[in-house]
């Protein structure tokens, strides 16, 4: 979450994220344009960063506050959780409620494998 704080002026406050690209060059990307009268805060829900990064107030006088949650996941843990949830969704009780699969009906067709007769 990015938000203006008490004492902020009614001006554009542009917040950018500064990081490095794959050539190890500094790159800055604006992520928020805050103004007290129309957009004093912005949720960056789902915004993922690859550390290290720096938040910088590119324009405006602020003050701007940042808050967030830093989570680290092990992919193996995520896979185990997904598999266990699927197992919970399909239990033995569910098996009894399912109707049995019926074999497909065969249609009788007369196919002749003999070569065509000459007229």
């Amino acid at each position: 979450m990015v938000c203006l704080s008490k004492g902020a002026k009614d001006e554009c406050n542009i917040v950018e994220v500064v990081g490095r690209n794959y050539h190890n060059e500094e790159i800055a990307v604006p992520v928020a344009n805050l103004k007290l009268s129309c957009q004093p805060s912005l949720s960056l829900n789902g915004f993922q960063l690859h550390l290290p990064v720096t938040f910088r107030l590119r324009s405006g006088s602020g003050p701007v506050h940042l808050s967030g949650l830093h989570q680290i996941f092990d992919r193996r843990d995520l896979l185990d959780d997904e598999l266990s949830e699927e197992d919970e969704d399909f239990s033995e009780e569910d098996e009894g409620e399912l109707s049995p699969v019926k074999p497909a009906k065969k249609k009788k067709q007369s196919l002749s494998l003999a070569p065509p007769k000459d007229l």
Side-chain angles (χ1 to χ4, degrees), residues 60-72:
S61 56
V64 175
H65 290 275
L66 302 170
S67 64
L69 178 64
H70 181 208
Q71 295 179 322
I72 299 175

Side-chain angles (χ1 to χ4, degrees), residues 2-10 13 34 36 40-41 61-66:
V2 182
C3 61
L4 293 173
S5 182
K6 183 178 179 182
K9 297 177 185 175
D10 193 29
N13 292 274
L34 305 175
L36 196 59
S41 64
S61 56
V64 175
H65 290 275
L66 302 170

Side-chain angles (χ1 to χ4, degrees), residues 40-101:
S41 64
L42 179 68
S43 172
L44 299 176
N45 189 22
F47 193 76
Q48 296 181 2
L49 300 170
H50 297 282
L51 301 175
V53 297
T54 302
F55 286 86
R56 181 166 58 194
L57 184 60
R58 179 168 185 148
S59 69
S61 56
V64 175
H65 290 275
L66 302 170
S67 64
L69 178 64
H70 181 208
Q71 295 179 322
I72 299 175
F73 293 102
D74 184 356
R75 291 181 190 263
R76 292 172 292 189
D77 291 341
L78 290 175
L79 290 175
D80 291 343
D81 289 344
E82 289 174 5
L83 291 175
S84 65
E85 288 175 9
E86 288 176 4
D87 292 341
E88 291 172 7
D89 292 342
F90 187 75
S91 65
E92 289 181 14
E93 294 173 5
D94 294 336
E95 287 180 17
E97 296 174 8
L98 298 176
S99 60
V101 176

